[in-house]
Amino acid sequence: GDIGRGRGSEAGEFTDPRFATVDANGAIYVTDVKSDRPRIQVFDRNGKFLRIFAEKGTGPGQILRGHGLAFDRKGRLYVTDVDNMRVSAFAPDGTFLFHWGKDGLNPGDFNAPHGLYMDANDDVFVNGYYGPTQKFTNDGRYLFAFAYGDPPDGSVYFHSLTGDKWGNVLVTVRT
């Protein structure tokens, strides 16, 4: 079936969906922006609306512009927040657990984080829109960075991430 009830501002409707992922039980999680309602909506595998969480805002557990989504092996949902410059973690029921990150150019800081990928070891990869891609433990400890931006003529606009079964991390970028 179709996910959601179409365009609108009510729970189960979308204004500007950004990313979707599926949990181990088949529930579909979707980030949505450009409205005043909570930012993450959940649907069953048939598209029936289940719940909505992560209020709009800057406080703990709140999201301004959610983008990347991934689950760890414990079922915790990690979300990149482009405008709050952080990664937030939620329990499967939507309860806020913790977040990390801040705006900046130092290792571990973010510059418009977009993509998020969780590898088989539950390490978290996050790319900034202007680079780099950084690797963290699933509790937010910075490990290292790669795939740096090279504006104005080189790589820039890093958008999303994924990986493969061999441990390779794949980054989409406009050059």
Side-chain angles (χ1 to χ4, degrees), residues 71-73 76 78 117-125 135-139 143 166-167:
F71 288 95
D72 69 8
R73 290 178 294 183
R76 297 179 295 191
Y78 291 75
Y117 168 68
M118 180 85 55
D119 73 9
N121 297 317
D122 280 349
D123 287 329
V124 181
F125 293 82
K135 182 178 181 180
F136 299 87
T137 61
N138 67 358
D139 60 357
L143 297 172
W166 299 283

Side-chain angles (χ1 to χ4, degrees), residues 32-73:
D32 195 10
V33 298
K34 297 190 188 251
S35 69
D36 290 331
R37 69 168 178 270
R39 301 312 212 188
I40 301 172
Q41 300 195 72
V42 185
F43 302 85
D44 71 12
R45 67 179 69 238
N46 297 312
K48 179 184 172 198
F49 174 76
L50 298 175
R51 63 187 172 279
I52 190 169
F53 64 94
E55 294 291 329
K56 178 183 179 181
T58 60
Q62 296 180 327
I63 293 176
L64 286 175
R65 186 166 36 134
H67 203 279
L69 298 171
F71 288 95
D72 69 8
R73 290 178 294 183

Side-chain angles (χ1 to χ4, degrees), residues 3 7 14 83 108 131 143 150 174-175:
I3 296 175
R7 187 169 180 82
F14 297 108
D83 296 329
L143 297 172
D150 187 24
R174 187 182 88 194
T175 56

Side-chain angles (χ1 to χ4, degrees), residues 88-101:
S88 293
F90 297 88
D93 67 359
T95 301
F96 172 70
L97 299 172
F98 59 89
H99 68 252
W100 79 83

